Amino acid sequence: MTATADAINVASTLPEQRRILKTAIPGPESVAREAERRANVTDGLGVTLPIFVEQMAGGIIVDVDGNQLVDLASGIAVTSVGSSHPRVVAAVQEQVAKFTHTCFMVTEYDGYVQVARRLNELTPGDFDKRTLLVSTGAEAVENAIKIARTYTGRQAVVTFDHAYHGRTLLTMTMTAKHAPYKRGFGPYAPEIYRVPAADPYRWVGDEQNVAEEAFDRFAEVITTQLGADHVAAVIAEPVIGEGGFIVHAPGFLKRVQDFCRANGIVFIADEIQCGLGRTGDMFASTFEGTEPDLITTAKALGGGLPISAVTGRKEIMDSVPAGGLGGTYAGSPVACAAAVAALDVIVEEDLPRKAKAIEAIVLPRLQELKSTGIVGDVRGRGAMLALEFVRPGGKTPAPEFAGAIAKACHDQGVLVLVCGTFGNVIRLLPPLVIGEELLTDGVDVLASAVRAVAANPPSVSGKSR
Ligand SMILES: *Cc1c(COP(=O)(O)O)cnc(C)c1O
């Protein structure tokens, strides 16, 4: 009871859902704290925007200088239900006061089971499922590979161009982009192979046949270079996240899944960024007509608390002998309480529908920007939308345009993130609960920044590709 009442108090002090600039961004208080940060925290951590946050709610970030920024990032696709959703706050407060930790491998608690039950029900596929909970996205991917290897008795893992799966040894190896994720961190894990993604914008072959050609290449590499009977798993992001919000050509992933079925290969969908309502369906796999054998989730799962999961076919998930999976903090009771609340909010507030509404508002606005000549592609699904910047007249990536536009947005109090293998994509990941006015304000700022950079491009260096 007390917990709920406190949560309501939190809710009543929420910042007004409006952008307010009181100082330059970052303001003097953030700048002062940044100096202490530099003196104490490793430079190995990058930062998109060095403001220090005081409070967040809905689509607003309040910084220590009293500025209110529009949040088009949600951390990185984490606070889909909004930061500090009252139900998440109440659930966490209640749980943390009862007990903080038992280690689920030592003594059990119901929250873990409730998260597992919900994920088994929500993930696509009308088959018997089981779930493993761990703490981070990378840990979920690692465990999915461990499970697939045990189940198949095989070792090879096939990943795609532009993939991002995490920063641990195995998942950084599976990640495509060298700098900054892999540079200097070798040697990498063995038995990881890469095939082209069915990238409709940058496909080098016949633009009318991207799915067919990409699938043929995929099947050829597996058959001729690896041997299908040596492949444990194929893992794909249904919408590629970090690598540039690439939506595979229609039909491609279904063919990949069918190939995996025919060859005893475990097909894994990494829905850590695109899952749980973000794309306008509970899972992006559904748009592809796929029912993956295993699905990894994280980011939005805990409503801001660290928790991740592997969910999939019972016979695959149960193939690992007891004791083979786990972790001290895996499925922490506090994170589980948050995840039960967050999943209930996603379902009961129908956040996939809100993601579709966000797409309906934002996508046409982004399409209009193609006429500036520097937007090569507009893509994504639901509330996972992106602009790819190129030099006018071709497809040469223009990371300097993306950087200048992101900086202009930040200066105006709108937080956007850059991504993409070539660093030339601006991605939008608003909280799914963001209000329409605030969203429109954020997109207005972005649109003016794109037009300003197109009219007065920053000088470019380097050769054309
Ligand atoms: C963020 C991300 C990961 C890694 O998650 P962490 O919690 O940072 O370890 C893995 N896969 C995808 C698709 C991601 O977006």
Side-chain angles (χ1 to χ4, degrees), residues 136-139 141 164-167 237 241-242 270 272-273 298-299:
T136 68
E139 214 185 346
V141 172
Y164 182 86
H165 296 294
R167 293 176 182 269
E237 296 162 83
E242 208 62 35
D270 182 346
I272 288 170
Q273 190 158 161
K299 293 197 163 92

Side-chain angles (χ1 to χ4, degrees), residues 367-375 389 392 447 450-452 454-455:
Q367 298 285 11
E368 284 169 13
L369 295 171
K370 277 191 157 178
S371 64
T372 60
I374 63 169
V375 174
F389 293 97
V450 173
R451 291 185 203 286

Side-chain angles (χ1 to χ4, degrees), residues 105-232:
M105 301 176 298
V106 176
T107 54
E108 302 179 322
Y109 40 89
D110 195 49
Y112 194 114
V113 181
Q114 292 312 316
V115 177
R117 184 172 68 76
R118 281 166 176 74
L119 287 172
N120 294 343
E121 286 169 7
L122 291 172
T123 46
D126 188 16
F127 39 78
D128 204 7
K129 295 179 200 139
R130 295 292 184 271
T131 286
L132 167 76
L133 299 181
V134 279
S135 303
T136 68
E139 214 185 346
V141 172
E142 290 248 5
N143 277 283
I145 301 301
K146 283 161 79 171
I147 294 165
R149 282 178 168 163
T150 307
Y151 176 70
T152 58
R154 307 171 180 177
Q155 295 184 351
V157 173
V158 174
T159 65
F160 291 90
D161 282 347
H162 311 291
Y164 182 86
H165 296 294
R167 293 176 182 269
T168 58
L169 175 63
L170 181 60
T171 59
M172 113 180 135
T173 307
M174 294 164 65
T175 291
K177 191 172 176 175
H178 177 65
Y181 305 125
K182 306 169 80 156
R183 186 168 56 192
F185 297 149
Y188 307 112
E191 291 298 331
I192 306 298
Y193 303 93
R194 194 172 308 286
V195 292
D199 175 355
Y201 180 60
R202 291 191 178 276
W203 188 249
V204 288
D206 177 1
E207 283 187 12
Q208 302 307 313
N209 279 308
V210 180
E212 292 78 1
E213 291 189 4
F215 173 74
D216 288 348
R217 181 68 190 148
F218 163 86
E220 183 186 303
V221 169
I222 291 194
T223 315
T224 64
Q225 299 181 21
L226 312 182
D229 59 346
H230 279 72
V231 176

